[in-house]
Amino acid sequence: MSINGNENTEVTDETPLLSNQSRSKGASFASSVFNLMNAIMGSGILGLAYAMASTGIVSFCILLVLVSSLAGYSIHLLLKLCDQTGINSYEDLGGRALQKPGKVLVAVAILIQNVGAMSSYLFILKSELPATITSFLSPDHSGQTWYQDGRLLLILVTLCVILPLAILPKIGFLGYTSSLAFFFMLYFAIVVVVKKWSIPCPLPQNLTTFLGVSQVSNSSDSDCTPKLFVISSRSAYAIPTMAFSFLCHTAVLPIYCELDRPNKARMQNVANVSISLSFLVYLISALFGYLTFYAHVDSELLLGYDAYMPHDILVMTVRLAILIAVLLTVPLIHFPARKAVILLLRGNRPFSWLIHIATTVVILGTVLMLAILVPDIRNVFGVVGSTTSSCLLFVFPGIFYLKISPHPLRSFDSIGAMALVVFGLIMGVSSFSIIIFTWIQSS
C-alpha cells in the first residue's frame, strides 16, 4: 500500500485524496451515498423495535442519536488518517498503527463481524422461509410438512443457492442486484407504518398456530401504553444492536477512493447524509414496530406479523423482498470474510482453488451451524454488536488516530478519539457481561 509523502504534511478538509495523480472520473456524490447506505442498512433493522421495547422510546432515541453521531465521528477520524497516510484499507491502518498485530486484530474483527452478519441473515432465512411458504398456502392447510422446517430449508438454500454464488472467484454482478436491498428496507419501513393501524391493541386473545407451535397472545389495556424509559436485563441488547446496525466502516475507505473529486469534506458529507437517512429509516421502523406490538414485540420484527396476519398481501410481499435481499447479500458479505481468512493464513501467496473452496466451505459451514443453533437473533446482535462491532465502530478508530496522528493529545480530535475508545470499551464490556450473565441465569 502506497504512502503519500511525509505523514506530517498539513492536511485540510479540502485536500484531495489522490492529488498529483492522474485519475479517471469516479463515482458521483449520490452514487457514493447510495453505496454507503447499502453497507449500513442490513438485518439490524429487524431488531431495533425490540431494542426500543427494551429501553423505552425516549431512551432509545437518545441512544440511537448517540451511536449514529459517534459512528459519523469515527468515520471522520478514519478519513483524516486516510489523508495523512495515503492508506485506504482498514486492515492496513491497523498495521500502520500497531504493526502486524494490529493488522491481524482488524482482520480477525472483520471476520467475526462478517460471520455474525451472515449468521443473522441465515437466521432470518430460517425463521422467514417457512412462514413465506405457509403464507402462500390456503388458510385451511394444516399439519407439519418438510417445507415448514426452517432448519432443513436453510440447509437446502445454503447448499443450492448461497454456496454456488459464494464459491465464484468473482461475483461483481451481485453488486448491482444488491442495490435493491435498500429499497427493500425502505419498503419494509413503509409496511411497518401502514400495518400499525391494522393490528388492534390490546392484541386479540386468539390461539394461533405458527410453524406448528400454538401461541396464545395475552394482552391487556395497560400493554397499549408506550413506555418512555425502561431498564431491564434486555436493555443490554440495545446499544450492541445499534452498533451492529450502523457499522459500515470497512466500506468507507474503498468508497472514498472511488469518489469523484475525493476530499475529506466531500466524503464526510457522503457519510453524514448516509447515516442520517439510515437513522430516519431505522427510527421509523423501530417506532411503529414498537407501537404495533408494544411489550410483545418479537426480537425479529417480522415474526410478530406472522401470528396475526399470515396471509396479508403486504406482509407476504415485504417478507419475500427481505428474503431476496438476504439471498443476494450473504455471498457478498462472505467475500471479505474469506479474504481475511486467506490473508491471515497465506499472506500474499498466489491464488489456489483448493484453499479458495476449502475456506468457503468452512466459513459457510460455521455460519450455518451458528444460524441453526442460535435460538434468538437478539443473541447475534448482542454478542457481535458488543464485541467486534464496538471495536470496529468505536475502539479501533480512536486507537489508530492516537497512534498515527501527529496532532498533540490535547487537540480536539485526540480528546475525541480517547472518549471514543473509553465509550466503546465501557459499552462493549458492560453489555457483553450482562448478556452472558443473562444466559447463565436463564440456563
Side-chain angles (χ1 to χ4, degrees), residues 41-52:
M41 303 289 287
S43 56
I45 195 173
L46 299 177
L48 288 175
Y50 180 85
M52 180 175 283

Side-chain angles (χ1 to χ4, degrees), residues 38-310:
N38 283 339
I40 295 173
M41 303 289 287
S43 56
I45 195 173
L46 299 177
L48 288 175
Y50 180 85
M52 180 175 283
S54 303
T55 56
I57 295 178
V58 174
S59 300
F60 177 88
C61 292
I62 294 174
L63 292 175
L64 195 67
V65 169
L66 177 63
V67 172
S68 60
S69 300
L70 291 179
Y73 181 70
S74 61
I75 288 175
H76 158 76
L77 296 182
L78 289 178
L79 294 178
K80 288 194 71 171
L81 292 178
C82 181
D83 281 350
Q84 290 173 8
T85 63
I87 294 174
N88 57 9
S89 81
Y90 210 147
E91 295 95 329
D92 289 324
L93 277 179
R96 178 66 178 271
L98 303 172
Q99 283 73 52
K100 187 175 181 180
K103 189 171 184 176
V104 171
L105 193 62
V106 174
V108 170
I110 291 175
L111 172 62
I112 297 174
Q113 172 68 32
N114 287 349
V115 166
M118 286 188 285
S119 299
S120 70
Y121 281 121
L122 292 190
F123 187 95
I124 294 169
L125 286 172
K126 181 181 74 172
S127 61
E128 293 298 330
L129 265 177
T132 303
I133 295 174
T134 303
S135 66
F136 284 99
L137 300 176
S138 64
D140 299 330
H141 176 81
S142 60
Q144 183 75 13
T145 54
W146 66 270
Y147 51 78
Q148 290 179 300
D149 186 340
R151 293 171 296 182
L152 177 59
L153 288 177
L154 181 59
I155 294 173
L156 292 176
V157 169
T158 301
L159 292 176
C160 299
V161 180
I162 297 176
L163 178 60
L165 292 176
I167 213 166
L168 295 174
K170 294 183 179 180
I171 199 168
F173 73 95
L174 277 181
Y176 299 100
T177 54
S178 67
S179 63
L180 294 172
F182 170 70
F183 292 105
F184 290 154
M185 297 299 174
L186 185 60
Y187 178 54
F188 169 81
I190 293 172
V191 170
V192 170
V193 173
V194 171
K195 290 304 172 184
K196 160 70 179 78
W197 287 274
S198 299
I199 297 178
C201 193
L203 297 174
Q205 294 188 357
N206 60 331
L207 184 67
T208 61
T209 302
F210 176 57
L211 303 186
V213 180
S214 296
Q215 297 178 330
V216 180
S217 57
N218 297 316
S219 181
S220 61
D221 290 328
S222 61
D223 291 333
C224 299
T225 303
K227 305 294 190 298
L228 300 182
F229 298 94
V230 176
I231 298 178
S232 68
S233 60
R234 300 194 312 171
S235 303
Y237 292 90
I239 294 184
T241 302
M242 296 176 192
F244 188 95
S245 302
F246 278 104
L247 184 64
C248 60
H249 293 49
T250 55
V252 167
L253 298 184
I255 292 175
Y256 186 14
C257 294
E258 296 174 1
L259 180 65
D260 185 35
R261 294 180 288 113
N263 57 62
K264 181 186 174 300
R266 184 171 168 82
M267 185 60 203
Q268 187 67 57
N269 288 335
V270 168
N272 293 342
V273 172
S274 302
I275 290 175
S276 298
L277 292 176
S278 300
F279 173 91
L280 189 61
V281 175
Y282 280 159
L283 180 60
I284 290 173
S285 59
L287 178 62
F288 283 89
Y290 170 62
L291 293 179
T292 301
F293 300 103
Y294 295 94
H296 298 278
V297 66
D298 200 282
S299 59
E300 202 268 75
L301 184 56
L302 277 176
L303 292 178
Y305 297 99
D306 296 330
Y308 296 98
M309 43 180 59

